[in-house]
Amino acid sequence: MNSKVNDIKALFNEKLSSVSSSQQVEELRVEFLGKKGLVAELMSELKNIPNEEKKEFGRIINVLKQEIEQTVSEKRTAILEAEQQKIIDSAEQYDESLPYEIKTGSYHPITLVQRDLERIFTSMGFSIENYSEIVDDYHCFEALNIPKHHPARDMQDTYYLSTENQLLKTHTSAAQNAIMKKYGAPLRAIFPGRCFRNESTDACHENTFFQMEGIMIDKDISISNLIYFMKTMLSEVFQKDVTVRLRPGFFPFVEPGFELDIKCLNCGGEGCPSCKNSGWLELCPCGMIHPNVLSHGGIDPEEYTGFAFGLGLTRLAMMKYGVKDIRTFNSGSLKALSQFKNE
Ligand code: PHE
């Protein structure tokens, strides 16, 4: 028995010296310590030796087993370390003393315009509201005085979700009802947001764009308030006095409704390519909130009046920064989009 133990020890040491990978360590472990390994085989021979020697040999085999276990585990650790070191050594070398440039990110031009407007409107007492991009038919259309089958819906075809009655909002006006219900009157709020329409894209049209809606509701609000706020806001955005004009415009949720134009900042009204020679640029649909819309929002139209406007944020960013193609904004092109800095 003793000689067998010595033979196993010698064999183990011999094999150990040629082990050089973690896989070989594992093979060695199985060969000696596995269920059918040499140590287990030796254990099974215990039954053949005389009873009085069993105890002593049992002990000897256990010591052998522990020694092998310990050696295997040490070898495994050493090999793993060596293998890792090898990976590190073979990795690409770099020279940490080489000079490098740290580039800071920049804001998206729409974010810049949005923040600018938020600053201006909060200074005039407006709160900023957030509203989801997925809405239902009621909020996007019916609460805004656009019943089912109304032709005004044709202008705002959008993406309907498979969940019943849910769609991607076509305009920020979709938030009007919820905000009126939440705060009641008097109320001053702006709510920027991403809007979606089923449009074919070209230099002036995108299926995904940004608007900023604003509403002001109080006693005796009139069109002069609307013009005042729009003029103040635009002069701040463009950092110069802007001339505005109102033309009639139709939106079922305002009465009267307008298209607000600004005198072209490029040519001062003379006519140039960017205003299509008209001297004016269409910027912001707006109007006095329709009494039905106030009623839907739980506000008494006999007591309160208000105005609403839907500023095209994307359009404003195009004007402010001279971006010619609307598709630039969603292009993800860092070359194009990282040029804009907040003044
Ligand atoms: N929601 C309208 C649109 O996107 C714009 C608008 C807003 C018009 C508020 C009037 C008042 O076309």
Side-chain angles (χ1 to χ4, degrees):
M1 205 64 171
N2 254 331
S3 71
K4 274 196 178 168
V5 169
N6 285 335
D7 285 352
I8 291 180
K9 260 191 200 174
L11 184 64
F12 176 76
N13 285 331
E14 188 195 321
K15 292 211 162 181
L16 182 72
S17 60
S18 60
V19 160
S20 60
S21 72
S22 41
Q23 194 190 336
Q24 287 170 341
V25 176
E26 180 56 15
E27 281 164 13
L28 187 69
R29 188 193 67 79
V30 172
E31 182 177 350
F32 285 84
L33 301 173
K35 266 193 202 146
K36 293 179 183 160
L38 294 177
V39 173
E41 211 173 89
L42 204 56
M43 277 294 196
S44 69
E45 284 177 25
L46 267 180
K47 61 179 184 297
N48 303 328
I49 62 171
N51 268 348
E52 58 279 13
E53 290 174 21
K54 268 193 182 132
K55 201 173 163 202
E56 177 58 7
F57 276 116
R59 196 187 61 76
I60 291 175
I61 295 172
N62 267 331
V63 170
L64 171 72
K65 192 177 163 197
Q66 277 163 16
E67 274 174 15
I68 294 181
E69 267 168 5
Q70 166 118 19
T71 314
V72 163
S73 135
E74 281 168 11
K75 187 77 178 176
R76 183 185 292 126
T77 312
I79 282 182
L80 278 179
E81 273 172 14
E83 283 175 350
Q84 273 169 1
Q85 192 57 45
K86 220 167 145 191
I87 294 172
I88 294 170
D89 290 345
S90 67
E92 202 178 312
Q93 299 293 320
Y94 71 100
D95 178 355
E96 55 190 87
S97 68
L98 279 177
Y100 63 98
E101 195 188 344
I102 301 176
K103 285 203 174 146
T104 50
S106 62
Y107 287 112
H108 193 281
I110 292 184
T111 307
L112 292 175
V113 175
Q114 180 180 329
R115 291 199 174 169
D116 218 15
L117 286 166
E118 287 177 355
R119 180 183 55 77
I120 297 164
F121 276 103
T122 42
S123 78
M124 298 195 286
F126 284 71
S127 68
I128 303 167
E129 302 298 326
N130 211 348
Y131 198 67
S132 59
E133 290 170 353
I134 297 175
V135 295
D136 59 18
D137 189 274
Y138 175 78
H139 287 90
C140 203
F141 300 120
E142 289 201 30
L144 292 166
N145 209 26
I146 314 177
K148 287 204 165 59
H149 313 300
H150 192 286
R153 289 194 179 206
D154 290 353
M155 308 281 294
Q156 303 201 2
D157 185 18
T158 184
Y159 302 93
Y160 288 82
L161 307 192
S162 47
T163 327
E164 208 192 322
N165 202 20
Q166 293 203 316
L167 47 111
L168 298 183
K169 77 173 171 218
T170 57
H171 51 177
T172 40
S173 308
Q176 280 193 16
N177 183 268
I179 290 170
M180 285 181 203
K181 281 185 178 146
K182 186 170 173 196
Y183 295 106
L187 173 61
R188 288 181 192 197
I190 51 166
F191 25 109
R194 182 157 54 166
C195 304
F196 307 85
R197 288 188 199 175
N198 185 9
E199 301 254 17
S200 321
T201 54
D202 61 27
C204 312
H205 296 90
E206 248 292 13
N207 50 29
T208 307
F209 55 95
F210 289 81
Q211 290 187 336
M212 178 178 286
E213 188 99 352
I215 49 177
M216 178 170 181
I217 300 169
D218 209 330
K219 291 187 171 144
D220 303 323
I221 296 290
S222 71
I223 298 170
S224 1
N225 298 102
L226 169 65
I227 297 175
Y228 169 78
F229 275 97
M230 293 294 102
K231 243 186 108 128
T232 313
M233 177 271 290
L234 293 169
S235 308
E236 279 277 327
V237 170
F238 291 105
Q239 293 291 309
K240 51 175 117 161
D241 243 358
V242 295
T243 313
V244 302
R245 76 172 184 193
L246 291 181
R247 282 180 296 119
F250 175 70
F251 304 94
F253 38 97
V254 283
E255 178 57 38
F258 307 104
E259 291 285 357
L260 183 137
D261 299 339
I262 59 169
K263 198 173 253 184
C264 180
L265 298 164
N266 245 353
C267 62
E270 298 285 302
C272 70
S274 59
C275 59
K276 295 191 193 117
N277 284 320
S278 71
W280 295 89
L281 289 163
E282 190 180 309
L283 189 65
C284 178
C286 52
M288 300 304 293
I289 302 174
H290 195 288
N292 289 352
V293 175
L294 289 173
S295 301
H296 269 295
I299 293 173
D300 182 0
E302 296 293 330
E303 199 180 346
Y304 290 101
T305 49
F307 66 75
F309 62 87
L311 195 63
L313 269 190
T314 304
R315 179 153 245 247
L316 195 61
M318 286 174 85
M319 262 179 211
K320 179 162 178 178
Y321 295 114
V323 176
K324 298 266 177 325
D325 191 324
I326 193 171
R327 291 167 292 195
T328 309
F329 292 124
N330 291 343
S331 68
S333 154
L334 285 182
K335 196 172 168 208
L337 295 171
S338 61
Q339 312 172 38
F340 307 99
K341 299 273 176 291
N342 220 353
E343 299 95 47

